Amino acid sequence: MKVRLPVFLLIFVATVGFAQQQPRPVPAPPIIGATSYLLIDSRTGTELASLEPDVAVPPASLTKLMTAYVVFTALQQGQISLDEEITVSEKAWRTQGSRMFIEVGKRVSVEDLLLGMIVQSGNDASVALAEYIAGSEEVFAEMMNQQAAAIGMHSSDFLNATGLPDENHYSTARDLSTLARAIIEQFPEYYRWYSVKEFTFNDITQPNRNNLLWRDDSVDGMKTGYTEEAGYCLVSSAKRDDMRIISVVLGTSSAKARINGSQALLNYGFRFFETRLLYSANTEIAQTRVWGSANEYTPLGVIEDLYVTLPRGSYDSLVSTLNIPAVIEAPVAQSQPLADISVKLGDEQLLKVPLRALADNPLGSLWQRAVDSVSLWFE
């Protein structure tokens, strides 16, 4: 059985009685001088624009997003705390590249090391954290790869905690967007550090290299990167109203190019797309007949808020279609998938998700089952 609903009404009556509008066209994304890029909506993961997003490239200091993810996980699981102090090893102190200027043998808190890594892009801080959590940077890299795979980063391989060059150390724009999205969703209490504009340690103040933090008030993260092999890279995130966008720009020719390119992509995303709530969690979307049950009908809905990202101004053109099996028999358990709902814009299917029972519906009495059995036979 198929029931078509106009989702823009957010009512749950089977009807096709509304005017179909044509989706609004979206212009091509801006041309930026990058090896690859990807622009996504953070809430839904919908791709808004891309250029070679699955090409493996050296991620430079964007690697520190993965380092941070592992550290944040350890904090969340109670394995370490922010006020714990780490004794700086000679290896961490000697690590080349950008630094927060920790000193060998000195004790530094986990929180300061995180700020040194996130704001100042300190390689020394990254190695100190890796050694503290895993015993060595090599073992920490194994943890990075394990956790990367767990969140769906299937085209990355991390060999160190810093992003210092190695031909077998690589990632992709798609994987890095997955990582950025995971940090934002899973660790909001720590994500706020990506908007810190400067950090002082050991009487040395260093600014955040993400100049978008000064240029665009909607930008609140995330991380820059540069090596000669990788070029100038930037993962950025911005929120305007209730919409958050993540941009990953890799392999530009200068710091200015990565900033301008990222800004152009963010502006494009907000200008031409929107993310809207279609159906609220645990709210009845439809009912279905359940045979042999205590209650004749079972309410159906989604157990998490259902959002969709689409071209701005096209919301009224959405069509939602319910696909419900002709026969559903008791018992039914709450949250059991019983049907599905698909949402289309023109000829494009934007999403398809299961509809679940919003309440238990146990077996009916012997009489109810007998009556339904006869009725079902005639059906």
Side-chain angles (χ1 to χ4, degrees), residues 309-354:
T309 301
L310 68 162
R312 190 170 291 277
S314 296
Y315 187 60
D316 289 352
S317 300
L318 292 177
V319 174
S320 178
T321 302
L322 300 181
N323 295 286
I324 303 175
V327 177
I328 298 174
E329 296 184 90
V332 166
Q334 185 173 359
S335 297
Q336 180 180 336
L338 296 177
D340 64 66
I341 185 169
S342 62
V343 178
K344 296 182 70 175
L345 181 63
D347 294 328
E348 180 184 2
Q349 180 171 287
L350 299 182
L351 55 85
K352 184 177 182 179
V353 297

Side-chain angles (χ1 to χ4, degrees), residues 79-113:
Q79 298 170 8
I80 61 173
S81 63
L82 290 175
D83 58 0
E84 288 181 30
E85 293 190 336
I86 298 173
T87 301
V88 178
S89 71
E90 184 170 350
K91 178 185 177 181
W93 173 64
R94 288 187 180 277
T95 304
Q96 298 299 306
S98 53
R99 300 181 180 184
M100 71 175 289
F101 298 104
I102 52 179
E103 300 177 48
V104 65
K106 296 291 183 67
R107 295 178 63 80
V108 185
S109 71
V110 170
E111 182 170 359
D112 280 348
L113 288 170

